[in-house]
Amino acid sequence: MILVISNVANEAANELVGMFPPGAASLVTASNLNRSFTAGISVGGFSPSEISVGGTRSCAGEIGGVVTTIPHFLPQEFYYIEPADREYVCAEVSAFFIYFLSELRCRKLNPPSARALSGLGMHRIEWAGTAAGCGVPVRPFCVKNGIPVAEDARGLRYLRSTIIDGAIVGDRAPDAVGGYMRSLSRAFAMPYLSCVFVSSGGDDYSLAELMSVPDVTIPENREAIVRVLRQPP
């Protein structure tokens, strides 16, 4: 069983599920969580704990892969909960899923962190330090009251690159950028990363943005995700 964690607004997540063989993948969203996912988890026996995904009963240890296309659940998604309780329910469900996804011993394209369901959840100051530490040039930036200040983009060239399980999607990145992507993926232990690099001319690319939430609206990304998650463990 492959889990795709998303929300009902992301139509591409449904397309992703449909690219797997029938019954091999299930979509889990907060908007239908009471129907799409139930679990009775034992901390002392996680793998054999019984779960129900999309009406199919199995155990946690039978989940073969996970991709999470959202960083957080939103209180508004829990429309079936009393309005006064939605913030609390959202916080509790999010905390449970961070624990649940962390405990799974399967292939995870963007493992959760303590801050987010989907990957890093880091401020730019945090990931910039790690990136520089592994030899990736980082674009200088200014921060005011914790928020990066927009820079003058005139004369700059932007390049977006995505890595999924060690492979650069599309192979359009220069060799240097591909090397940076592999270094970042290892440094953050994140099989999926999408980065924006900036150049003022030539091949002097520097890292300007780093994201760990998969963009499944891109067909190439969906195809690569399916290819990776269908591989034997």
Side-chain angles (χ1 to χ4, degrees):
M1 171 68 72
I2 305 297
L3 298 186
V4 178
I5 314 295
S6 191
N7 59 42
V8 294
N10 191 344
E11 295 179 359
N14 263 318
E15 292 185 42
L16 176 63
V17 169
M19 293 172 68
F20 290 92
S26 287
L27 181 66
V28 177
T29 74
S31 295
N32 68 349
L33 192 63
N34 55 335
R35 299 191 305 275
S36 65
F37 184 92
T38 59
I41 300 299
S42 170
V43 176
F46 181 86
S47 289
S49 294
E50 189 174 273
I51 63 172
S52 176
V53 182
T56 300
R57 302 180 75 85
S58 61
C59 62
E62 292 177 339
I63 294 175
V66 178
V67 58
T68 307
T69 72
I70 52 173
H72 307 284
F73 292 128
L74 299 175
Q76 297 91 327
E77 296 177 87
F78 295 89
Y79 65 90
Y80 46 89
I81 302 295
E82 289 292 329
D85 296 331
R86 287 174 191 167
E87 292 275 357
Y88 168 77
V89 170
C90 182
E92 288 292 313
V93 171
S94 297
F96 167 78
F97 264 88
I98 286 174
Y99 160 75
F100 179 79
L101 297 176
S102 297
E103 288 295 304
L104 289 174
R105 298 297 177 258
C106 64
R107 185 176 281 112
K108 291 175 273 190
L109 284 188
N110 48 343
S113 66
R115 301 178 186 175
L117 295 171
S118 179
L120 304 174
M122 287 183 169
H123 191 279
R124 183 176 294 188
I125 293 173
E126 296 175 286
W127 61 250
T130 300
C134 66
V136 177
V138 177
R139 181 78 180 172
F141 60 92
C142 296
V143 175
K144 184 177 182 180
N145 297 326
I147 300 174
V149 178
E151 65 173 323
D152 185 352
R154 288 176 294 183
L156 298 178
R157 189 170 60 208
Y158 288 82
L159 171 70
R160 180 182 292 271
S161 183
T162 298
I163 188 169
I164 299 178
D165 199 39
I168 306 300
V169 177
D171 285 333
R172 289 188 292 267
D175 289 344
V177 170
Y180 297 154
M181 293 296 293
R182 292 182 177 89
S183 294
L184 291 166
S185 182
R186 289 192 298 268
F188 290 106
M190 198 62 56
Y192 176 99
L193 280 178
S194 181
C195 299
V196 175
F197 290 86
V198 176
S199 173
S200 55
D203 295 324
D204 61 334
Y205 287 99
S206 56
L207 179 64
E209 190 59 77
L210 181 149
M211 296 146 286
S212 59
V213 180
D215 185 351
V216 294
T217 65
I218 300 174
E220 288 177 320
N221 287 357
R222 293 199 301 269
E223 291 166 6
I225 289 168
V226 172
R227 186 165 55 250
V228 169
L229 293 183
R230 291 192 66 184
Q231 292 174 3

